[in-house]
Amino acid sequence: MGLSRVRAVFFDLDNTLIDTAGASRRGMLEVIKLLQSKYHYKEEAEIICDKVQVKLSKECFHPYSTCITDLRTAHWEEAIQETKGGAANRKLAEECYLLWKSTRLQHMTLAEDVRAMLTELRKEVRLLLLTNGDRQTQREKIEACACQSYFDAVVIGGKQREEKPAPSIFYYCCNLLGVQPGDCVMVGDTLETDIQGGLNAGLKATVWINKNGIVPLKSSPVPHYIVSSVLELPALLQSIDRKVSISA
């Protein structure tokens, strides 16, 4: 790590600042209720939602060849057909997808203590939101949790030539803020994108949010710091700056 103080912090969005996984689970529960009450599905309702969850986790999205709504409606259509058999039911798939999506967005909120932390941090350093994913999907999340005003800049990977962990997107962020990689800290919950990307770009430090105490694989990228909550960040940044002062 360099001998300059931290000048900028890059934050991931999903499961770092907002509980995307929890919001998605709530969406799935609403779909299960719909399938059981309106369509009289029994255990098939949970099987369908489990199948969709697997499809989402393996999703490969190419923005120039398909739209995210079509892709995700297709996940539901396939899961229903795989579980129930018979002809494809596009109408039901659309109903399930829209209910899951709207419920998920309703529960994507920026907690009050996270808002307060960002407000205080921004008095000291530049803040940038750096999120991978489809531009439409990520923009809807950003609007749902009303977080844009807490940042000096927002960068969505789906709008760039490359996403995290490519160094180019980190250099783009540095240029936006007028800082050097050695001035910046990356904060995120995913070792393969957030942490690996910060390491690839030569940032001052990487901070892994490990809420569930996961033991990483030996082959995983190694972050400079590990915290269990993003709320531990202000104290950590003070500690990093103190080390700079002592070294200087």
Side-chain angles (χ1 to χ4, degrees):
M1 287 184 290
L3 289 180
S4 62
R5 294 172 72 86
V6 176
R7 293 183 60 205
V9 180
F10 301 165
F11 283 93
D12 172 53
L13 178 64
D14 294 301
N15 301 308
T16 295
L17 293 176
I18 60 173
D19 183 13
T20 306
S24 189
R25 281 193 298 273
R26 290 190 182 212
M28 292 296 183
L29 289 173
E30 288 303 310
V31 175
I32 289 169
K33 281 190 219 167
L34 169 80
L35 291 173
Q36 290 176 339
S37 62
K38 185 175 175 182
Y39 295 98
H40 309 296
Y41 285 23
K42 293 177 183 170
E43 62 275 4
E44 304 103 318
E46 289 189 32
I47 294 168
I48 288 165
C49 287
D50 287 345
K51 283 179 179 289
V52 170
Q53 195 61 56
V54 171
K55 291 175 192 294
L56 287 166
S57 70
K58 295 177 177 175
E59 189 172 83
C60 290
F61 177 64
H62 302 288
Y64 303 109
S65 59
T66 185
C67 90
I68 195 74
T69 299
D70 289 343
L71 178 67
R72 291 189 168 169
T73 301
H75 293 336
W76 288 97
E77 191 172 6
E78 289 164 11
I80 293 164
Q81 195 168 19
E82 287 164 11
T83 306
K84 294 289 284 181
N89 191 337
R90 185 76 176 181
K91 192 164 180 293
L92 177 57
E94 287 172 349
E95 188 177 2
C96 291
Y97 168 62
L98 291 172
L99 177 60
W100 170 77
K101 176 184 167 179
S102 62
T103 305
R104 190 168 89 127
L105 286 172
Q106 283 168 21
H107 289 95
M108 285 186 181
T109 55
L110 202 59
E112 207 51 57
D113 48 7
V114 175
R115 291 174 188 269
M117 177 198 72
L118 292 172
T119 301
E120 287 305 305
L121 278 181
R122 201 169 170 200
K123 294 174 183 175
E124 305 292 331
V125 295
R126 313 291 302 280
L127 300 185
L128 181 141
L129 185 66
L130 175 56
T131 175
N132 275 3
D134 165 57
R135 66 182 81 183
Q136 175 193 328
T137 304
Q138 297 309 100
R139 180 54 61 192
E140 286 170 349
K141 290 176 188 173
I142 289 163
E143 288 173 6
C145 71
C147 68
Q148 179 145 0
S149 62
Y150 293 89
F151 294 92
D152 296 289
V154 172
V155 176
I156 298 173
K159 293 175 74 173
Q160 302 299 315
R161 188 168 52 83
E162 296 179 295
E163 294 191 305
K164 299 177 284 185
S168 63
I169 196 167
F170 289 87
Y171 301 149
Y172 175 78
C173 293
C174 290
N175 289 337
L176 269 184
L177 297 185
V179 294
Q180 296 298 314
D183 300 328
C184 304
V185 173
M186 178 68 211
V187 182
D189 71 301
T190 308
L191 289 169
E192 295 75 19
T193 54
D194 302 315
I195 304 309
Q196 186 64 66
L199 295 171
N200 289 347
L203 300 194
K204 182 179 195 64
T206 54
V207 182
W208 182 36
I209 311 289
N210 185 9
K211 291 178 190 171
N212 302 315
I214 295 165
V215 178
L217 299 170
K218 286 187 179 174
S219 59
S220 295
V222 179
H224 295 93
Y225 301 97
I226 303 173
V227 294
S228 60
S229 163
V230 74
L231 297 173
E232 296 173 49
L233 188 65
L236 177 58
L237 291 176
Q238 285 184 349
S239 164
I240 293 170
D241 278 342
R242 270 201 302 275
K243 285 180 185 172
V244 171
S245 299
I246 291 166
S247 299

